[in-house]
Amino acid sequence: MRILLLDTNHPLIEEQLSEKGFVFDADYTSSYDEVLDKIQNYEGIIIRSRIPLDQNFLIKASHLKFIARVGAGMENIDIETAENLGIKLINSPEGNRDSVAEHVIGMLLILMNRLFIASNEVKNGIWKREENRGDELLGKTFGIIGYGNMGKATAKRLSGFGVEVIFHDILPDLSDEFATQVSLEELQKRADILSLHIPLTNETHYLIDEEFISKMEKNFYFVNTARGKNLKTKALVQAIESGKVLGACLDVLEYEKSSFENLETENQDLKYLLDSEKVIVTPHIGGWTHQSKEKLAQVIVDKILADFKN
């Protein structure tokens, strides 16, 4: 099988699959139209986020047997068209679930204990103790929306922090030793912290908006390591200003490019978040550890080989 690589990934993908007889071409720079001109020559494609695989692209890819997405989110792929054309869709959320979970905990600890603020103050000769009192995780109720690979890994990491973990998911009967499934209404009533672990779909676009936030009974901390457009940024800004949201940890932003490589726009809402001491912002690196790069790649290789013996 001839496979086209559209994004750089861990070299083990090419190394291990080449040993099994797969043939690779790499193209990390061509535009959508340039790739479209040659996609009919390939039976497999391995991507991250650089080029959208829309209906037009998939119809032109007349010999394509699989699309492998190194990562979790599949929003850059026209899933319905791919399935109708019999193209196998492969992703690897198992590969970076641990790094995402650790990132959630790390951001929360930094935010709730003012670690970044206090460290910068001391480095600048400022010694404030009372002003930098922290807020403990112990005793809080941690609410998760989306209990797949990322949500479960996060709940597992929280098991030693003395928090009660509850979650809401569209699938039933997912409770385990680390978290209890509840209705969305119960989560909104009880959660002190809200963390998103959901894909971006028509149903989850702007899931967290003014109406959702108004239904949260407690003032709460908000964490988003899912997708930027799961959150309506303006609603978050208003909630921070009013005190409804005590602080936010954002690894993803509504204003990211679809490739996640940078911001595509700037505005006053974004400026507010970047200037606020109540907000931690990172550049979509929750699943971006040295270990996850290798694990993501290995999961992709294993899944390709399970379905396609060259």
Side-chain angles (χ1 to χ4, degrees):
M1 294 181 72
R2 182 171 291 276
I3 300 174
L4 179 62
L5 303 173
L6 284 179
D7 298 273
T8 57
N9 286 294
H10 197 286
L12 73 80
I13 293 178
E14 193 169 352
E15 292 168 1
Q16 293 187 18
L17 291 178
S18 294
E19 291 175 359
K20 299 295 184 179
F22 291 81
V23 177
F24 287 89
D25 290 328
D27 187 341
Y28 306 141
T29 58
S30 289
S31 68
Y32 172 95
D33 289 333
E34 290 169 333
V35 175
L36 194 65
D37 285 340
K38 62 181 179 181
I39 191 58
Q40 70 273 9
N41 299 321
Y42 297 94
E43 296 166 285
I45 186 169
I46 299 178
I47 63 166
R48 285 206 316 267
S49 309
R50 189 172 69 85
I51 289 180
L53 307 189
D54 56 16
Q55 183 181 55
N56 179 55
F57 186 100
L58 296 175
I59 290 173
K60 190 73 178 290
S62 54
H63 293 93
L64 203 59
K65 291 183 170 63
F66 74 83
I67 299 167
R69 158 74 162 104
V70 183
M74 306 286 273
E75 66 269 18
N76 269 9
I77 303 169
D78 185 333
I79 295 175
E80 182 178 356
T81 298
E83 291 176 344
N84 289 339
L85 292 172
I87 300 170
K88 175 76 173 181
L89 297 178
I90 299 168
N91 65 345
S92 54
E94 306 91 337
N96 62 354
R97 60 189 175 194
D98 298 311
S99 60
V100 169
E102 290 189 14
H103 199 82
V104 169
I105 305 301
M107 285 198 297
L108 267 176
L109 293 176
I110 289 169
L111 178 73
M112 295 174 67
N113 293 282
R114 297 176 58 86
L115 299 181
F116 187 74
I117 296 167
S119 176
N120 277 341
E121 287 177 350
V122 174
K123 289 180 178 181
N124 286 285
I126 302 168
W127 189 272
K128 293 181 179 180
R129 298 186 67 221
E130 185 60 37
E131 295 86 345
N132 284 312
R133 280 192 186 273
D135 191 9
E136 296 180 5
L137 280 170
L138 180 67
K140 288 183 170 53
T141 299
F142 194 106
I144 292 172
I145 298 182
Y147 206 61
N149 282 281
M150 312 303 176
K152 290 177 182 178
T154 300
K156 185 176 181 180
R157 293 305 182 287
L158 288 164
S159 60
F161 282 89
V163 300
E164 180 183 9
V165 184
I166 59 176
F167 69 90
H168 175 71
D169 196 283
I170 59 174
L171 298 177
D173 304 321
L174 297 178
S175 294
D176 58 23
E177 61 187 300
F178 302 112
T180 302
Q181 189 162 8
V182 298
S183 67
L184 186 59
E185 292 73 21
E186 184 174 350
L187 185 144
Q188 289 173 314
K189 180 179 180 179
R190 297 174 54 195
D192 299 291
I193 301 163
L194 176 64
S195 187
L196 300 188
H197 300 278
I198 52 178
L200 180 61
T201 65
N202 290 334
E203 291 73 26
T204 64
H205 185 271
Y206 280 178
L207 176 67
I208 309 302
D209 59 8
E210 292 90 348
E211 181 181 3
F212 187 103
I213 292 171
S214 72
K215 292 179 180 178
M216 294 291 288
E217 188 165 307
K218 300 178 181 178
N219 296 342
F220 67 101
Y221 293 97
F222 177 71
V223 185
N224 191 8
T225 55
R227 288 292 183 262
K229 289 182 173 62
N230 294 140
L231 165 71
K232 187 176 180 182
T233 306
K234 184 174 292 293
L236 176 64
V237 168
Q238 292 170 353
I240 294 172
E241 288 178 326
S242 72
K244 184 67 177 182
V245 169
L246 301 170
C249 301
L250 306 174
D251 182 51
V252 292
L253 293 166
E254 178 182 352
Y255 311 114
E256 286 178 74
K257 292 182 178 179
S258 59
S259 65
F260 311 136
E261 292 300 320
N262 213 320
L263 296 173
E264 64 179 0
T265 186
E266 296 184 18
N267 56 42
Q268 286 303 114
D269 291 327
L270 176 60
K271 185 177 187 304
Y272 178 91
L273 296 179
L274 298 181
D275 290 343
S276 175
E277 287 190 346
K278 296 181 179 180
V279 181
I280 299 287
V281 184
T282 53
H284 205 132
I285 55 170
W288 211 249
T289 61
H290 297 291
Q291 292 81 5
S292 72
K293 183 177 182 179
E294 181 173 350
K295 287 190 283 187
L296 285 166
Q298 191 62 61
V299 169
I300 288 295
V301 168
D302 293 344
K303 288 184 177 181
I304 290 173
L305 291 178
D307 287 311
F308 300 95
K309 302 295 184 182
N310 201 32

